Amino acid sequence: MTRQTPNKAPAPQPALARPLDFSVPSNRIAAAGALAALLLGRAARGNWWAALGVGGAAFSAWAIARELDPDSPQTANAALPVAAAAALLGGPGNPLAAFAALSGLRMIAGTTGQAATPADQMGLLIQSALAAATGNRSAALLSAAAPLLTPESHSWQPAPGVLMPRLWRDRAEGLTTVPAALLGLGAVALTPTFTAPEPVASPCDRAPRTVRAREVQRARQAAVISLALGLGGGGVRGLVPLAAAVLTVGLRRVRAGTVKPSAKS
């Protein structure tokens, strides 16, 4: 008799981790753009720490825009230099807030097509706590609340992260906050167009289906709420990547809305 081994269920795929595939043109543009932003930040700011902040803001804006507008890599390519310019003019801001916002929006938009694993839930908790510790609770809220806005991953586990006491905050004031504030206000002003329903055709990264339009719309709504809370509660420089992404997606939709009628006439 042959010995039979029990069938093992495949290990669950992560919902958050997504390595860059350099065979995709927009991913190559993102890597090159982030490197260029880093080098420009080093030349303009005079130190590598600030340069990393500029490059990180640029890449984060690109990545967030890919979650909010999966059908249009051009939008993400436009968000990258917008965020880099704002970070150069006003300072690099808070990378922990940017990464918390990115992870929360990726979970809500469901672009990987996977439910959150225990490791994903723990990652959201840690990112939410780190963002809250730096005084940016609006970004922390995106990570903390993401599973509650995702039916397949419904969990309260990351929620306590937003309660982390503030240990450090961005003390920028005066003119250094102007670029981020203007970017944020411009993005929020586009809310009606930005959050209106829109079909989505892009495939999920790890599931045999397309990204669900209602989940992308929910992510856009969450992004605007987080941005508005950040504008009202301080720490706006940490939301530069989110603001750049929302602004460029909103402008893309405004342009699409103005082009279509003229094409029919």
Side-chain angles (χ1 to χ4, degrees), residues 107 113-116 121 147 149-155 209 212 214-215 218:
M107 176 67 66
Q114 296 292 315
Q121 303 281 10
L149 299 173
T150 310
E152 293 86 351
S153 306
H154 194 82
S155 172
R209 62 172 178 84
R212 296 180 179 123
R214 67 179 180 275
E215 293 180 357
R218 191 179 300 130

Side-chain angles (χ1 to χ4, degrees), residues 128-232:
S128 177
L130 290 173
T134 57
N136 203 311
R137 295 199 187 277
S138 59
L141 187 61
L142 270 178
S143 277
L148 299 176
L149 299 173
T150 310
E152 293 86 351
S153 306
H154 194 82
S155 172
W156 287 90
Q157 182 179 336
V162 77
L163 303 177
M164 180 76 174
R166 179 189 296 157
L167 304 178
W168 175 86
R169 67 174 298 173
D170 183 3
R171 300 189 180 280
E173 56 185 16
L175 293 177
T176 59
T177 64
V178 170
L182 291 177
L183 198 61
L185 289 171
V188 170
L190 295 172
T191 295
T193 302
F194 174 72
T195 58
E198 183 179 33
V200 178
S202 294
C204 293
D205 292 328
R206 303 190 184 104
R209 62 172 178 84
T210 58
V211 178
R212 296 180 179 123
R214 67 179 180 275
E215 293 180 357
V216 172
Q217 184 186 20
R218 191 179 300 130
R220 290 175 179 178
Q221 293 166 343
V224 168
I225 292 171
S226 176
L227 196 52
L229 290 173
L231 286 168

